[in-house]
Short mmCIF file of all heavy atoms in Angstrom, two decimals:
data_model
loop_
_atom_site.label_atom_id
_atom_site.label_comp_id
_atom_site.label_asym_id
_atom_site.label_seq_id
_atom_site.Cartn_x
_atom_site.Cartn_y
_atom_site.Cartn_z
N ARG G 1 -7.00 -0.26 5.05
CA ARG G 1 -5.80 -1.11 4.95
C ARG G 1 -5.62 -1.90 6.23
O ARG G 1 -6.13 -1.52 7.29
CB ARG G 1 -4.57 -0.25 4.66
CG ARG G 1 -4.23 0.78 5.74
CD ARG G 1 -3.13 1.71 5.27
NE ARG G 1 -2.93 2.84 6.18
CZ ARG G 1 -1.85 3.03 6.92
NH1 ARG G 1 -0.85 2.15 6.89
NH2 ARG G 1 -1.73 4.09 7.69
N GLU G 2 -4.86 -2.98 6.14
CA GLU G 2 -4.65 -3.85 7.29
C GLU G 2 -3.38 -3.48 8.06
O GLU G 2 -3.00 -4.20 8.98
CB GLU G 2 -4.58 -5.31 6.83
CG GLU G 2 -5.90 -5.81 6.24
CD GLU G 2 -5.82 -7.26 5.80
OE1 GLU G 2 -4.73 -7.87 5.93
OE2 GLU G 2 -6.85 -7.80 5.32
N SER G 3 -2.76 -2.38 7.68
CA SER G 3 -1.54 -1.93 8.36
C SER G 3 -1.86 -0.65 9.14
O SER G 3 -2.94 -0.08 9.03
CB SER G 3 -0.45 -1.65 7.33
OG SER G 3 -0.89 -0.66 6.40
N THR G 4 -0.89 -0.22 9.92
CA THR G 4 -1.04 1.01 10.69
C THR G 4 0.22 1.86 10.53
O THR G 4 1.26 1.39 10.07
CB THR G 4 -1.26 0.72 12.19
OG1 THR G 4 -0.15 -0.05 12.69
CG2 THR G 4 -2.54 -0.03 12.42
N GLY G 5 0.11 3.12 10.91
CA GLY G 5 1.25 4.01 10.88
C GLY G 5 1.60 4.48 9.47
O GLY G 5 0.85 4.26 8.51
N PHE G 6 2.75 5.12 9.37
CA PHE G 6 3.20 5.67 8.10
C PHE G 6 3.98 4.62 7.31
O PHE G 6 4.85 3.94 7.86
CB PHE G 6 4.09 6.89 8.34
CG PHE G 6 4.72 7.44 7.09
CD1 PHE G 6 4.00 8.25 6.23
CD2 PHE G 6 6.05 7.14 6.76
CE1 PHE G 6 4.57 8.76 5.07
CE2 PHE G 6 6.63 7.64 5.61
CZ PHE G 6 5.88 8.45 4.77
N LEU G 7 3.66 4.48 6.03
CA LEU G 7 4.35 3.53 5.16
C LEU G 7 4.61 4.16 3.80
O LEU G 7 3.79 4.93 3.30
CB LEU G 7 3.51 2.27 4.96
CG LEU G 7 3.27 1.35 6.16
CD1 LEU G 7 2.27 0.26 5.78
CD2 LEU G 7 4.57 0.74 6.64
N ILE G 8 5.73 3.80 3.21
CA ILE G 8 6.05 4.17 1.83
C ILE G 8 5.94 2.92 0.98
O ILE G 8 6.40 1.84 1.37
CB ILE G 8 7.46 4.77 1.73
CG1 ILE G 8 7.49 6.15 2.43
CG2 ILE G 8 7.89 4.92 0.27
CD1 ILE G 8 8.86 6.79 2.47
N GLY G 9 5.29 3.04 -0.17
CA GLY G 9 5.06 1.90 -1.05
C GLY G 9 6.33 1.11 -1.33
O GLY G 9 7.40 1.68 -1.57
N SER G 10 6.19 -0.21 -1.32
CA SER G 10 7.33 -1.11 -1.49
C SER G 10 6.87 -2.33 -2.29
O SER G 10 5.69 -2.70 -2.23
CB SER G 10 7.85 -1.53 -0.12
OG SER G 10 8.94 -2.41 -0.23
N PRO G 11 7.76 -2.98 -3.06
CA PRO G 11 7.37 -4.11 -3.91
C PRO G 11 6.67 -5.25 -3.17
O PRO G 11 5.86 -5.96 -3.75
CB PRO G 11 8.70 -4.57 -4.51
CG PRO G 11 9.56 -3.37 -4.50
CD PRO G 11 9.19 -2.62 -3.26
N GLU G 12 6.98 -5.43 -1.90
CA GLU G 12 6.37 -6.56 -1.18
C GLU G 12 4.98 -6.23 -0.65
O GLU G 12 4.28 -7.10 -0.12
CB GLU G 12 7.25 -7.00 0.00
CG GLU G 12 7.37 -6.00 1.13
CD GLU G 12 8.54 -5.03 0.96
OE1 GLU G 12 9.03 -4.90 -0.17
OE2 GLU G 12 8.93 -4.41 1.96
N PHE G 13 4.53 -4.99 -0.82
CA PHE G 13 3.22 -4.60 -0.31
C PHE G 13 2.11 -4.99 -1.28
O PHE G 13 2.34 -5.18 -2.48
CB PHE G 13 3.16 -3.09 -0.06
CG PHE G 13 3.97 -2.63 1.12
CD1 PHE G 13 4.23 -1.28 1.32
CD2 PHE G 13 4.48 -3.53 2.03
CE1 PHE G 13 4.98 -0.84 2.39
CE2 PHE G 13 5.24 -3.11 3.12
CZ PHE G 13 5.48 -1.76 3.30
N SER G 14 0.90 -5.08 -0.75
CA SER G 14 -0.30 -5.35 -1.55
C SER G 14 -1.34 -4.29 -1.24
O SER G 14 -1.11 -3.38 -0.42
CB SER G 14 -0.86 -6.73 -1.19
OG SER G 14 -1.33 -6.72 0.16
N ALA G 15 -2.50 -4.40 -1.89
CA ALA G 15 -3.60 -3.47 -1.62
C ALA G 15 -4.05 -3.56 -0.17
O ALA G 15 -4.51 -2.57 0.41
CB ALA G 15 -4.76 -3.75 -2.57
N LYS G 16 -3.89 -4.74 0.44
CA LYS G 16 -4.28 -4.89 1.83
C LYS G 16 -3.38 -4.06 2.75
O LYS G 16 -3.82 -3.60 3.81
CB LYS G 16 -4.20 -6.36 2.24
CG LYS G 16 -5.27 -7.24 1.60
CD LYS G 16 -5.15 -8.67 2.10
CE LYS G 16 -6.23 -9.55 1.50
NZ LYS G 16 -6.14 -10.95 1.98
N ILE G 17 -2.14 -3.88 2.35
CA ILE G 17 -1.19 -3.13 3.18
C ILE G 17 -1.29 -1.62 2.94
O ILE G 17 -1.29 -0.83 3.88
CB ILE G 17 0.25 -3.61 2.92
CG1 ILE G 17 0.37 -5.11 3.22
CG2 ILE G 17 1.25 -2.81 3.76
CD1 ILE G 17 0.04 -5.49 4.64
N LEU G 18 -1.38 -1.22 1.66
CA LEU G 18 -1.40 0.20 1.33
C LEU G 18 -2.80 0.79 1.25
O LEU G 18 -2.97 2.00 1.37
CB LEU G 18 -0.70 0.44 -0.02
CG LEU G 18 0.82 0.45 -0.05
CD1 LEU G 18 1.31 0.79 -1.45
CD2 LEU G 18 1.40 1.43 0.95
N GLY G 19 -3.81 -0.06 1.04
CA GLY G 19 -5.13 0.43 0.69
C GLY G 19 -5.28 0.40 -0.82
O GLY G 19 -4.30 0.52 -1.56
N ASP G 20 -6.51 0.26 -1.30
CA ASP G 20 -6.70 0.02 -2.73
C ASP G 20 -6.28 1.20 -3.60
O ASP G 20 -5.59 1.01 -4.61
CB ASP G 20 -8.15 -0.39 -3.04
CG ASP G 20 -9.18 0.54 -2.43
OD1 ASP G 20 -8.83 1.63 -1.96
OD2 ASP G 20 -10.38 0.16 -2.42
N GLU G 21 -6.67 2.41 -3.25
CA GLU G 21 -6.34 3.55 -4.10
C GLU G 21 -4.84 3.87 -4.11
O GLU G 21 -4.25 4.04 -5.20
CB GLU G 21 -7.17 4.77 -3.69
CG GLU G 21 -8.65 4.58 -4.05
CD GLU G 21 -9.57 5.40 -3.17
OE1 GLU G 21 -9.12 5.87 -2.11
OE2 GLU G 21 -10.75 5.55 -3.55
N PRO G 22 -4.16 3.94 -2.94
CA PRO G 22 -2.71 4.14 -2.97
C PRO G 22 -1.98 3.03 -3.72
O PRO G 22 -1.01 3.29 -4.44
CB PRO G 22 -2.31 4.17 -1.49
CG PRO G 22 -3.56 4.57 -0.78
CD PRO G 22 -4.68 3.98 -1.56
N PHE G 23 -2.45 1.79 -3.57
CA PHE G 23 -1.80 0.68 -4.27
C PHE G 23 -1.98 0.83 -5.78
O PHE G 23 -1.08 0.49 -6.56
CB PHE G 23 -2.37 -0.66 -3.81
CG PHE G 23 -1.60 -1.84 -4.32
CD1 PHE G 23 -0.31 -2.09 -3.88
CD2 PHE G 23 -2.16 -2.72 -5.23
CE1 PHE G 23 0.41 -3.18 -4.35
CE2 PHE G 23 -1.45 -3.81 -5.71
CZ PHE G 23 -0.16 -4.04 -5.26
N GLN G 24 -3.13 1.35 -6.19
CA GLN G 24 -3.34 1.62 -7.61
C GLN G 24 -2.33 2.65 -8.11
O GLN G 24 -1.74 2.50 -9.19
CB GLN G 24 -4.76 2.13 -7.84
CG GLN G 24 -5.10 2.41 -9.30
CD GLN G 24 -6.56 2.79 -9.48
OE1 GLN G 24 -7.45 2.21 -8.87
NE2 GLN G 24 -6.81 3.80 -10.31
N PHE G 25 -2.09 3.71 -7.32
CA PHE G 25 -1.07 4.70 -7.70
C PHE G 25 0.30 4.02 -7.81
O PHE G 25 1.06 4.28 -8.75
CB PHE G 25 -0.97 5.83 -6.66
CG PHE G 25 -2.24 6.59 -6.40
CD1 PHE G 25 -2.48 7.17 -5.16
CD2 PHE G 25 -3.19 6.75 -7.39
CE1 PHE G 25 -3.63 7.87 -4.91
CE2 PHE G 25 -4.36 7.46 -7.15
CZ PHE G 25 -4.58 8.02 -5.90
N TYR G 26 0.61 3.18 -6.83
CA TYR G 26 1.91 2.54 -6.78
C TYR G 26 2.15 1.65 -7.99
O TYR G 26 3.26 1.64 -8.56
CB TYR G 26 2.04 1.72 -5.49
CG TYR G 26 3.38 1.05 -5.33
CD1 TYR G 26 4.50 1.77 -4.93
CD2 TYR G 26 3.53 -0.31 -5.62
CE1 TYR G 26 5.73 1.16 -4.80
CE2 TYR G 26 4.76 -0.92 -5.50
CZ TYR G 26 5.86 -0.18 -5.09
OH TYR G 26 7.08 -0.79 -4.99
N LYS G 27 1.14 0.91 -8.41
CA LYS G 27 1.29 -0.01 -9.53
C LYS G 27 1.37 0.73 -10.87
O LYS G 27 2.04 0.27 -11.80
CB LYS G 27 0.11 -0.98 -9.56
CG LYS G 27 0.05 -1.93 -8.37
CD LYS G 27 1.24 -2.88 -8.32
CE LYS G 27 1.14 -3.97 -9.36
NZ LYS G 27 2.23 -4.96 -9.22
#
């Protein structure tokens, strides 16, 4: 992912922010 630190999934995030697999869970 292109982000760092701890993050909780949010509507404005993308796969680049969360990573592909977590973003798949989120969607």
